[in-house]
Amino acid sequence: MIKTHLLGERLRFAGLLAGTAMAAALAAPALAEEAPITIVINQSPWFPGFQAVVELYEETTGNAVELDVNPFAGSLEKQRTAVRTDESPFDLLIMNAGFYVEFYKGGFMQPLQEIDPAFELSEDIYDFDESVCYDATAGTVTCEGDGKLMAVPVNPNILILHYRADLYEEKGLEVPKTWDELFANAQMFNDPPKMYGISQRGHRGAFDVTYDVFPYIWSHGGGIFADQKAGDYTITINSPETLAGMETYLKLANEVGHPSTAGQTQTNVIQNMATGKAVHIQSVLAPGLFDDPNQSAVVNKVNYAATPASKDFPGATPLGHWLAGVPRNVPDDRKAAALAFLTWFQTEEAQEAYARAGSAPVSRAVLEGPMSETQEFRWMKAMADAIPTARATFLIPEASQVLAVTELRFNEAIGGQMELKDALNTAAKEIARIMADAGYDAPMLEELK
Amino acid sequence: MKSDTFWRYATLAPAVILFVLLTILPLFNLLALSFHDVEWLNREAVWEWVGGRNYAKLPEDTLFNAGILNTIIFAVLAVAFQMVLGFWLALMTTRVTRLRVFYRAVFILPILVPGIIIGAIWKLMYSYDFGVINQAVVLFGGNPVDWLGNPRLALMSVIIVDVWHWTPFCFLLMLASLESLPQDIFEAAEIDGASKGQVLRYIILPLMMPAIIVTFIFRMILAFKVFDEIYLLTGGGPGTSTEVISFTIYRRFFTEDQSGYGSAMSLATIAVIATMIILASRFATKKGPDA
């Protein structure tokens, strides 16, 4: 009796052990195959989506990823410091469209196929005007010839027109395709301070107001330089076309815009839409935010479209996208681990999860796939429409110096501290000085009268 | 005797070495950097000698000029208000008999709040659309005011935040000084029939002058280094209306990665500010009790 009892107890104990072991095996996360990595990244409206994807990667693979999150300018400074030391504490740099060229040109980034010759950019992933490649011999951003794959895009970050679909429906309005149509629509709703026809970012920062005026000046045939890709650095910021673009921006700001446009940050602009104070905004996408009842008063009321055009030129949106690259100065095992993350990040599973977490994916297949037909992901169509019109903003390592000029002068013109023509002429002279100091041939146009 | 001298130098040596390592050497490094442009090629820093070009560029730099001017305006106005308010609050607190500890705690509260939180609080309060200040303005029939976006108001708005933040510092030093004044002088003045105004003018102010001067110098030094409030509230804008020199240096040195030019700007700023503080201190000392 005692023996039977003991045997039964032993069997039960053994069964319990086996069961526990099996349960533990099933419940435990996958064993890490790669070294832990650290990613330096900025705090942006799309960051929560990236964070969610990183968590999914950790759960799925067992590999550990630490995120070092900073303000926009702080992230840039940390990246510069990291690549200039003997060993970078960061294994992946999330570089912005305005500054990645200085990392390529400085020789800080490892071509990805030097880490693993089999690594490729998936066919479904956009190359964003070839910004993922660099030809070090020619010193140009290109995937042709000797251009090598340097990075993988992690966020498309382009400006998209956001509008209040419910109000449009009430008034029976069409989605604006030109700035004139946008102005007319905005005028119908403008009733400050209760409601603004449009809220635009005019704040002076590291890459704030300059980024937001690009759709206006490009869609009027203007720009800051004539054609950086072709090596033509003629300064066109004071061209009649750029002037026309800025006049359109100012017309919207002064007549149907926010009274404090010069002081509006990206956060303010998004906040104005989320609280129902703005009928239109041009912003990078934060779709998860507007449909979240805890953060938005306009749930399911916002719709999206590509940025408008002018009568003479098509619409164009600036690439403010983010690229993930591996610095040269990290140990090989961490380079391999960083590449493993980038390989996984390009999969459809990761890209879909990224979209579900509220950020825009960089995969054409996802942006144009079945998800885009649903109400929740209605923004995907606008994004897919706009990406082909997206253009690189700066292809020179001196971008941050040029930006310091344009941020100030555009902001002064918007805030009324300087006449628009004076601001553009002054900016042209200041940019010419920067370019001359850096050894470029950058002729100036005649001054605007 | 010789041994005494040796030990004097020997005991002083560690402090001198630390001072040289942490202060003098970085300054020399900054000086060397200011005559160069630094470019990064193939992961190597390439120093190019440019002579005095970086210094020559300074007078033409819009942000540098605006930064210096705004910093002086900011420091003078903010410190003046803080000194007067701090002194007045300290005077009032010494005259209070009930709840004195409570008042002290309330008055020093702002100085305990981290700068980042102060920035967030005031940015929200100044918000054009959602700020409590504009809600009050509208409640009394006014129109919303663009506190941080209007170039004419922005610097004043930032000065108000600084006054709110740093007045407690002046209050604390003044209060400590007031409470340590000898009481028999006040009793004698009372017996002689001196009025409150006369006591303030002829007794309190002269006796407190050393504390006032020290407080003034401390605050001026700190005010010239203002950064966090500007960074959080306005980013130097709109235009250049709130650009201050520490922010300009940060931009040029770090964001734009112009380490040579940033170094020249740093040294020029050190020279300007040191001169101003020395002049201000001399002026304040001359106006002191021995004047």
PDB file of all heavy atoms in Angstrom, chain B residues 187-194:
ATOM      1  N   GLU B 187      17.122  97.917  16.771  1.00  0.00           N
ATOM      2  CA  GLU B 187      16.541  98.429  18.019  1.00  0.00           C
ATOM      3  C   GLU B 187      16.965  99.881  18.231  1.00  0.00           C
ATOM      4  O   GLU B 187      16.147 100.750  18.587  1.00  0.00           O
ATOM      5  CB  GLU B 187      16.990  97.568  19.201  1.00  0.00           C
ATOM      6  CG  GLU B 187      16.255  96.229  19.246  1.00  0.00           C
ATOM      7  CD  GLU B 187      16.995  95.185  20.063  1.00  0.00           C
ATOM      8  OE1 GLU B 187      17.919  95.566  20.822  1.00  0.00           O
ATOM      9  OE2 GLU B 187      16.665  93.990  19.943  1.00  0.00           O
ATOM     10  N   ALA B 188      18.252 100.156  17.976  1.00  0.00           N
ATOM     11  CA  ALA B 188      18.773 101.521  18.132  1.00  0.00           C
ATOM     12  C   ALA B 188      18.056 102.477  17.183  1.00  0.00           C
ATOM     13  O   ALA B 188      17.664 103.597  17.549  1.00  0.00           O
ATOM     14  CB  ALA B 188      20.270 101.546  17.857  1.00  0.00           C
ATOM     15  N   ALA B 189      17.840 102.011  15.943  1.00  0.00           N
ATOM     16  CA  ALA B 189      17.160 102.851  14.951  1.00  0.00           C
ATOM     17  C   ALA B 189      15.736 103.145  15.387  1.00  0.00           C
ATOM     18  O   ALA B 189      15.236 104.268  15.221  1.00  0.00           O
ATOM     19  CB  ALA B 189      17.161 102.149  13.606  1.00  0.00           C
ATOM     20  N   GLU B 190      15.101 102.152  15.970  1.00  0.00           N
ATOM     21  CA  GLU B 190      13.712 102.325  16.418  1.00  0.00           C
ATOM     22  C   GLU B 190      13.652 103.359  17.542  1.00  0.00           C
ATOM     23  O   GLU B 190      12.779 104.243  17.554  1.00  0.00           O
ATOM     24  CB  GLU B 190      13.186 100.976  16.909  1.00  0.00           C
ATOM     25  CG  GLU B 190      11.670 100.918  16.954  1.00  0.00           C
ATOM     26  CD  GLU B 190      11.167  99.569  17.437  1.00  0.00           C
ATOM     27  OE1 GLU B 190      11.936  98.578  17.380  1.00  0.00           O
ATOM     28  OE2 GLU B 190      10.023  99.520  17.896  1.00  0.00           O
ATOM     29  N   ILE B 191      14.648 103.265  18.477  1.00  0.00           N
ATOM     30  CA  ILE B 191      14.702 104.225  19.590  1.00  0.00           C
ATOM     31  C   ILE B 191      14.932 105.638  19.056  1.00  0.00           C
ATOM     32  O   ILE B 191      14.329 106.604  19.499  1.00  0.00           O
ATOM     33  CB  ILE B 191      15.823 103.830  20.585  1.00  0.00           C
ATOM     34  CG1 ILE B 191      15.423 102.523  21.297  1.00  0.00           C
ATOM     35  CG2 ILE B 191      16.098 104.925  21.601  1.00  0.00           C
ATOM     36  CD1 ILE B 191      16.567 101.814  21.976  1.00  0.00           C
ATOM     37  N   ASP B 192      15.777 105.722  17.995  1.00  0.00           N
ATOM     38  CA  ASP B 192      16.056 107.049  17.406  1.00  0.00           C
ATOM     39  C   ASP B 192      14.912 107.567  16.554  1.00  0.00           C
ATOM     40  O   ASP B 192      14.975 108.666  16.001  1.00  0.00           O
ATOM     41  CB  ASP B 192      17.311 106.971  16.529  1.00  0.00           C
ATOM     42  CG  ASP B 192      18.562 106.751  17.380  1.00  0.00           C
ATOM     43  OD1 ASP B 192      18.467 106.981  18.605  1.00  0.00           O
ATOM     44  OD2 ASP B 192      19.600 106.341  16.837  1.00  0.00           O
ATOM     45  N   GLY B 193      13.857 106.740  16.372  1.00  0.00           N
ATOM     46  CA  GLY B 193      12.671 107.196  15.641  1.00  0.00           C
ATOM     47  C   GLY B 193      12.786 107.102  14.147  1.00  0.00           C
ATOM     48  O   GLY B 193      12.100 107.830  13.406  1.00  0.00           O
ATOM     49  N   ALA B 194      13.673 106.183  13.634  1.00  0.00           N
ATOM     50  CA  ALA B 194      13.819 106.048  12.181  1.00  0.00           C
ATOM     51  C   ALA B 194      12.566 105.406  11.581  1.00  0.00           C
ATOM     52  O   ALA B 194      11.984 104.488  12.180  1.00  0.00           O
ATOM     53  CB  ALA B 194      15.034 105.179  11.860  1.00  0.00           C
TER      54      ALA B 194
END
